């Protein structure tokens, strides 16, 4: 099995702060981490390797400073790491990013055929969840999103069976390989790497690929140029001015308390009253309509 | 699956100033060094701002000023003896401090430790973070031959192990190399980093460029406990903290957070930090037992350096300089043994102690050996005197028609009332003895 895991280095959003004076986001000193959703992808890949053998290659497109993220992935037990970095890649949106990653995976595939690609569900700094599916589409891989469990891999039949969280339940899906899987959060827990893995990671060479090494064919499709996404406006939602209110509650008389609450809601949020009235009217209307049908 | 990790000349446990100084000096001289740090990165466990004493670092990295992340050069030192609403203080400001090279700097430890660790790695040491040493490995004769970490297949071997794991040194305690620290030999300090615009810091403290100020405070702020407080100016923040003996805090049932809150509200402190935003809060133990509390500093195959050896001068709040110096001396001892082809036996490692005796580390700790006890048993230094001094100043500087001779007499009588004349003389003697 050759499994490729795509990861992204992101600023640890839990530690991002707004500068008290200038009100700008302070990135300085904010530690960079592996996108937390990607950890589930790494663990799923490693668990499959434990079971079936083979190797796990971890891949990222990013600035040279993204190297520690790859090294960290190696310390969990990934075998090889590739950093695709080029000045031309700056400013990439999800379309351009998926193009670069797909090209790099194609290049990896030429060396050792790739059976599976894993990505996280989404990133915490972009939240689009578009890159994984974009890569799958470009490489014509079967796409399994929001996977919560890998059930089994049948290497002879070249197929994989997974569980996928869907609205209202769990779907059991089976498809042929090669496939791309985006892992759901909470589906597993990243392992604590062994001491030898830590040593290997500290010393390993991370492959650094520029656009040529990564096999980029069309440089118009990378970076800012290859990114049709336009950010038209960034704004901070204004906080609501309303204050919370307290309502006295007499335990002996819950009906009265409910009534007070209802009155307050209906008076202070006219929209609610309007909607309630409307639903009631609709119900009446449909009831009378039903009566007529009978 | 057991994989063996190759053997090293030296394993250094901890990447604070002591460990970094040792690892840097050894790696620079070509030794095969492994440094293990439990934090996510060096400095991640050390978030506070602090004073850096140039001399200790200069002896390790002479041109550190070119690349180290320094905040401000300290050109002014204030001493405040405080009462609830006032202070009596001295200020020493000298333009001589302004002449390069600087003698003391304020730093942010998280940044500084990271920089120092980069130098260690450039010098050729292998530095691995997120690895906690949980035990020492010994051979049949009891000689330390390596460490065990908290990960699978985590036995790593070396000729010598340097323990630079800080004040708690659980490794050393667990291995029986030293006793657990006692509450009376350790202070608990809390510190906040309060952010303010650079211009505000400079205006409030009368600074320009990269000049900085340090204020040391004692008196009513420690509520009669043995302890001091401090304020340092960084580029665009202020480090403010207070520390007291752990045993005192226990006895008085106070928390350091309460002390710090009171300090922030003190009328002399509040205007200096007004409008600032606290962004980092850190609590840390400081070994303050001094000379009498020092553990064994070396043994068969191991050495203690920095805080884990208790090298802190509580009076001058010097710790990182003693940490760096002891780290360097430990490394130089091992280099000397290497040159002479001698093994790391306790008998040979005794040279480390000799080097310490000959350096600022043990010379200063010896000089101040009685301070912890004096402050412990003689509470008047911390409670009565600050009150009396402030009372005296108030009396003296209030122009109210009273002649100065009468004022002086009133002041003298106030001192006499609180402490008998004999007590006063005794105090002077004890303080003099303690600092001698
Ligand atoms: C509030 C406060 C203010 C201070 N101000 C000053 C000042 O202004 N100037 C000054 O010179 N000194 C100051 N000191 C003292 C100074 O911080 C210490 O003396 C100095 O940090 C000691 O360095 P060290 O390397 O021995 O220990 P540390 O800096 O504590 O480093 C120990 C390192 O070892 C790591 N470690 C611990 N256990 C393990 C383990 N089992 N395995 C792996 N790694 C481990 C820790 O994570 C840590 O990084 C201050 C201390 C405090 C608490």
């Amino acid at each position: 099995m050759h499994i490729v895991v795509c990861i992204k280095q992101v600023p640890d959003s839990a530690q991002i702060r707004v500068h008290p004076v200038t009100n700008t986001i302070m990135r300085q000193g904010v530690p960079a981490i592996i996108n937390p959703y990607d950890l589930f992808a790494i663990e799923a890949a490693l668990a499959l390797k434990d079971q079936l053998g083979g190797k796990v290659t971890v891949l990222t497109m990013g600035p040279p400073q993204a190297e520690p993220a790859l090294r960290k992935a190696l310390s969990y037990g990934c075998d090889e790491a590739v950093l695709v970095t080029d000045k031309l890649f700056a400013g990439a949106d999800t379309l351009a990013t998926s193009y670069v990653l797909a090209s790099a995976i194609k290049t990896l595939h030429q060396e050792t055929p790739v059976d599976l690609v894993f990505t996280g569900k989404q990133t915490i700094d972009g939240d689009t969840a578009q890159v994984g599916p974009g890569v799958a589409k470009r490489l014509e891989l079967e796409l399994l999103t929001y996977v919560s469990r890998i059930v089994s891999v049948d290497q002879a039949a070249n197929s994989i069976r997974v569980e996928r969280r869907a609205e209202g339940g769990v779907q059991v899906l089976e498809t042929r390989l090669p496939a791309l899987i985006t892992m759901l959060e909470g589906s597993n827990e990243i392992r604590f790497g062994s001491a030898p893995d830590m040593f290997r990671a500290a010393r390993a060479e991370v492959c650094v690929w520029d656009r040529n090494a990564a096999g980029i064919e069309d440089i118009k499709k990378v970076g800012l140029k290859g990114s049709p996404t336009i950010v038209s406006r960034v704004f901070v939602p204004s906080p609501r001015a309303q204050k919370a209110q307290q309502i006295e509650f007499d335990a002996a008389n819950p009906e009265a308390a409910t009534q007070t609450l209802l009155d307050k809601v209906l008076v202070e949020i006219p929209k609610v009253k309007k909607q309630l009235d409307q639903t009631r009217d609709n119900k009446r209307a449909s009831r009378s309509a039903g009566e007529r049908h009978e | 699956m057991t994989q063996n990790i190759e053997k090293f000349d030296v394993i250094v446990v901890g990447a604070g100033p002591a460990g970094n100084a040792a690892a840097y000096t050894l790696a620079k001289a070509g030794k095969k060094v492994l440094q293990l740090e439990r934090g996510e990165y060096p400095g991640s466990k050390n978030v506070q701002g602090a004073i850096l004493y140039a001399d200790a670092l200069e002896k390790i990295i002479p041109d550190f000023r070119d690349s180290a992340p320094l905040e401000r050069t300290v050109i002014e030192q204030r001493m405040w003896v405080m009462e609830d609403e006032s202070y009596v203080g001295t200020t020493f400001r000298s333009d001589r401090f302004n002449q390069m090279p600087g003698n003391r700097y304020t730093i942010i430890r998280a940044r500084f430790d990271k920089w120092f660790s980069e130098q260690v790695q450039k010098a050729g040491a292998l530095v691995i973070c997120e690895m906690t040493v949980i035990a020492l490995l010994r051979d049949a004769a009891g000689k330390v031959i390596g460490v065990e970490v908290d990960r699978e297949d985590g036995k790593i071997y070396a000729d010598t192990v340097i323990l630079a794991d800080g004040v708690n040194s659980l490794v050393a305690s667990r291995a029986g190399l030293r006793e657990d620290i006692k509450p009376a030999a350790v202070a608990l300090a809390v510190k906040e980093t309060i952010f303010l615009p650079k211009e505000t810091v400079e205006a409030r403290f009368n600074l320009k460029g990269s000049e900085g100020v340090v204020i040391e405070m004692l008196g009513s702020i420690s509520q009669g406990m043995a302890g001091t407080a401090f304020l340092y100016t960084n580029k665009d923040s202020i480090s403010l903290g207070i520390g007291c003996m752990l045993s005192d805090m226990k006895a008085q049932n106070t928390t350091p957070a309460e002390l710090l809150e009171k300090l922030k509200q003190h009328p002399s402190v509040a205007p200096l930090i007004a409008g600032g935003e606290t962004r980092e809060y850190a609590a840390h133990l400081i070994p303050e037992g001094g000379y009498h509390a020092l553990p064994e500093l070396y043994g068969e195959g191991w050495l203690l350096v920095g805080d884990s050896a208790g090298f802190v001068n509580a009076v001058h709040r010097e710790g990182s300089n003693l940490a760096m110096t002891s780290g360097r001396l430990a490394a130089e001892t091992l280099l000397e043994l290497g040159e002479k082809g001698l093994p790391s036996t306790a008998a040979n490692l005794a040279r480390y102690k000799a080097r310490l005796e000959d350096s600022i580390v043990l010379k200063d700790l010896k000089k101040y050996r009685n301070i912890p006890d004096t402050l412990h048993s003689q509470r008047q230094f911390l409670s009565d005197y600050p009150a009396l001094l402030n009372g005296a100043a108030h009396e003296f500087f209030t122009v109210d028609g009273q002649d100065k001779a009468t004022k002086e007499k009133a002041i003298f009588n106030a001192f006499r009332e609180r402490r008998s004349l004999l007590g006063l003389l005794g105090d002077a003697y004890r303080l003099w003895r303690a600092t001698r």
Side-chain angles (χ1 to χ4, degrees):
Chain A
M1 273 299 246
H2 183 196
I3 308 173
V4 175
V5 186
C6 302
I7 67 168
K8 184 181 182 191
Q9 189 186 48
V10 295
D12 188 351
S13 59
Q15 298 193 45
I16 289 187
R17 293 194 179 79
V18 176
H19 193 283
V21 183
T22 60
N23 270 329
T24 51
I25 285 184
M26 300 200 299
R27 283 177 187 275
Q28 205 206 15
V30 176
I33 55 171
I34 296 180
N35 173 41
Y37 292 118
D38 299 346
L39 295 177
F40 303 106
I42 294 175
E43 178 55 37
L46 292 173
L48 271 183
K49 182 184 91 163
D50 289 347
Q51 204 186 321
L52 306 167
K55 72 169 178 180
V56 175
T57 304
V58 56
L59 170 70
T60 193
M61 179 193 90
Q65 298 88 292
E67 200 203 275
L70 291 173
R71 222 168 263 291
K72 181 103 196 201
L74 291 173
S75 80
Y76 293 126
C78 296
D79 300 274
E80 275 162 36
V82 180
L83 169 64
V84 192
T85 187
D86 198 302
K87 282 210 180 75
L88 283 187
F89 296 165
D93 68 1
T94 54
L95 193 73
T97 304
S98 66
Y99 176 70
V100 171
L101 290 176
S103 304
I105 293 170
K106 235 190 252 168
T107 307
L108 284 168
H109 183 73
Q110 279 158 15
E111 216 172 276
T112 318
V114 174
D115 304 291
L116 263 176
V117 178
F118 278 99
T119 73
K121 180 184 85 167
Q122 64 196 50
T123 55
I124 55 167
D125 62 343
D127 277 332
T128 65
Q130 290 170 353
V131 171
V135 171
K137 185 75 194 148
R138 289 179 188 280
L139 295 174
E140 290 175 12
L141 302 172
E142 299 301 325
L143 174 63
L144 298 167
T145 51
Y146 304 107
V147 169
S148 57
R149 191 165 87 91
I150 313 284
V151 181
S152 60
V153 172
D154 186 339
Q155 278 178 299
N158 209 26
S159 69
I160 187 167
R161 178 187 288 222
V162 302
E163 286 177 8
R164 176 182 197 268
R165 188 83 54 80
E167 261 169 70
V170 172
Q171 301 171 332
V172 179
L173 302 173
E174 195 173 303
T175 187
R176 65 179 162 74
L177 297 177
L180 184 142
I181 294 177
T182 77
M183 285 304 287
L184 199 64
E185 71 271 24
S187 52
N188 56 38
E189 197 179 324
I190 189 72
R191 62 194 56 196
F192 194 57
S194 71
D197 278 333
M198 297 289 287
F199 274 78
R200 202 173 44 78
R203 289 170 156 159
E205 286 277 323
V206 165
C207 300
V208 181
W209 287 0
D210 63 5
R211 59 179 185 276
N212 296 320
I216 303 292
E217 284 161 4
D218 185 354
I219 60 162
K220 286 197 295 298
K221 289 188 178 169
V222 305
L224 205 53
K225 257 194 214 147
S227 299
T229 308
I230 293 166
V231 178
S232 61
R233 193 164 72 96
V234 177
F235 63 95
V236 183
S238 49
R240 278 188 214 141
Q242 270 156 326
K243 280 234 174 74
Q245 294 181 22
Q246 273 191 352
I247 297 173
E248 291 294 328
F249 178 72
D250 178 8
N253 196 352
E255 281 90 3
T258 316
Q259 194 56 54
T260 323
L261 177 65
L262 258 179
D263 290 347
K264 268 207 180 299
V265 170
L266 295 181
V267 171
E268 288 184 17
I269 320 176
K271 213 166 85 187
V272 175
K273 184 166 163 39
K274 217 166 119 194
Q275 271 176 1
L276 268 180
D277 289 346
Q278 205 161 21
T279 337
R280 200 176 42 217
D281 292 347
N282 285 350
K283 265 200 191 137
R284 256 192 220 132
S286 69
R287 208 179 302 139
S288 52
E291 275 159 12
R292 231 173 295 146
H293 276 292
E294 271 171 356
Chain B
M1 183 189 69
T2 47
Q3 286 165 271
N4 259 334
I5 297 162
E6 81 277 17
K7 196 183 149 185
F8 292 85
D9 292 333
V10 184
I11 293 174
V12 178
V13 183
N20 284 338
Y24 179 87
T25 309
L26 286 162
K28 193 93 184 160
K31 292 283 168 197
K32 189 169 172 188
V33 179
L34 170 66
Q35 189 181 33
L36 300 173
E37 165 58 46
R38 74 179 163 174
E40 211 174 321
Y41 53 90
S44 63
K45 302 269 172 189
N46 299 314
V47 291
Q48 345 101 355
I51 302 291
L52 173 77
Y53 303 91
D55 175 71
L57 184 56
E58 216 164 27
K59 291 199 167 100
I60 300 161
I61 305 180
D63 57 356
F64 76 91
R65 292 182 183 85
D66 296 345
S67 60
L70 306 171
E71 292 283 312
R72 290 177 180 275
T73 314
V74 178
I75 59 141
E76 179 179 317
Q77 166 94 38
R78 301 182 195 169
M79 256 319 276
W80 287 2
V81 180
M82 304 172 79
E83 245 293 75
D84 285 344
E85 295 192 333
S86 58
Y87 71 86
V88 172
T90 58
T91 297
F92 182 62
R93 181 176 179 127
S94 167
D95 259 353
R96 258 184 32 213
F97 282 145
N98 234 343
Q99 286 154 17
M100 291 306 277
N103 169 263
R104 284 187 302 164
Y105 298 93
T106 54
I107 53 167
I108 305 277
R109 276 289 298 274
R111 272 181 228 153
F112 176 79
D113 285 13
K114 211 167 165 193
W115 166 85
F116 204 167
S117 178
E118 282 160 17
Q119 312 312 308
V120 171
Q121 295 176 48
K122 274 189 211 148
L126 179 63
V127 180
I128 299 192
C129 294
E130 289 185 87
M131 266 224 212
T132 305
V133 171
I134 52 171
L136 295 175
L137 302 173
R138 293 168 188 269
D139 65 10
K143 180 185 184 297
V144 170
I145 51 168
V147 301
E148 181 165 4
V149 301
D150 61 338
R151 290 174 183 267
E152 202 183 319
D153 297 324
K155 290 197 168 109
I156 314 160
Y157 297 89
D159 292 332
T160 318
V161 174
I162 296 181
L163 289 172
D165 51 342
V167 56
N168 273 318
S169 193
L170 291 178
V171 181
S173 304
R174 234 182 262 150
L177 302 185
R178 50 162 244 192
E179 292 174 42
D180 275 339
I181 32 174
K182 298 196 185 69
V186 67
L188 180 58
V190 289
K191 182 146 140 178
E192 272 186 17
T193 311
I194 301 162
F195 280 78
L196 284 164
K198 190 167 175 287
E199 302 72 41
T200 311
V201 174
E202 284 163 9
R204 281 186 193 171
F205 293 88
N206 186 19
L207 302 169
K208 55 181 189 301
S210 62
E211 296 172 344
V213 167
V214 168
I215 308 177
E216 297 282 348
M217 295 168 258
L218 58 82
S220 65
I221 44 167
S222 67
Q223 302 180 0
M225 299 183 280
T228 55
F230 52 86
L231 182 154
Y232 314 143
T233 54
N234 305 315
K235 261 188 204 128
D236 56 359
S237 63
I238 286 171
S239 299
L240 181 70
I242 183 162
C244 288
M245 298 311 277
L246 197 55
S247 50
D248 285 357
M249 292 219 202
K250 243 165 81 183
Q252 290 207 8
N253 207 4
T254 357
T255 65
E258 273 170 50
L259 287 177
L260 186 56
E261 269 323 299
K262 286 232 176 85
L263 176 64
K264 285 166 72 177
Q265 284 159 19
H266 191 283
S268 308
V269 175
L272 296 177
I273 57 171
E277 194 208 32
T278 295
R279 277 214 285 113
E280 282 169 357
Y281 178 87
H284 203 276
L285 296 172
I286 311 182
E288 299 206 340
Y291 192 74
H292 293 309
L294 290 183
E296 284 292 334
L297 300 172
Y298 61 92
E300 298 292 336
W302 59 269
L303 296 159
L304 291 184
V305 297
D307 273 12
S308 74
F311 294 150
V312 169
N313 181 340
V315 178
H316 289 253
R317 205 182 301 286
E318 291 173 24
S320 62
N321 59 333
L322 305 186
M324 287 191 269
T325 304
S326 59
R328 173 176 61 85
L329 295 177
E332 286 172 359
T333 308
L334 294 182
L335 293 176
E336 184 196 333
L337 295 189
E339 266 167 37
K340 297 187 170 149
L342 297 171
S344 288
T345 57
N348 289 332
L349 291 176
R351 290 156 204 246
Y352 169 52
K353 177 102 186 257
R355 282 174 189 264
L356 288 169
E357 302 267 9
D358 213 29
S359 76
I360 177 176
V361 180
L362 287 187
K363 277 188 184 159
D364 272 11
L365 285 183
K366 217 181 240 173
K367 177 169 150 65
Y368 289 101
R369 66 190 173 279
N370 291 322
I371 277 279
D373 286 345
T374 305
L375 291 186
H376 253 274
S377 47
Q378 316 290 330
R379 287 310 149 99
Q380 62 277 16
F381 290 123
L382 298 154
S383 47
D384 290 355
Y385 284 169
L388 287 168
L389 260 179
N390 278 276
H394 191 82
E395 178 84 5
F396 204 77
F397 294 121
T398 311
V399 177
D400 54 4
Q402 192 75 265
D403 66 285
K404 294 293 183 285
T406 313
K407 275 184 190 283
E408 277 166 25
K409 205 157 163 196
I411 293 168
F412 184 72
N413 284 338
F415 273 80
R416 276 271 300 273
E417 260 166 47
R418 291 284 274 273
R419 297 276 301 156
S420 72
L421 197 55
L422 221 56
L424 277 178
L425 288 173
D427 286 348
Y429 176 72
R430 269 187 290 270
L431 202 59
W432 173 71
R433 282 278 307 156
T435 54
R436 214 167 66 103

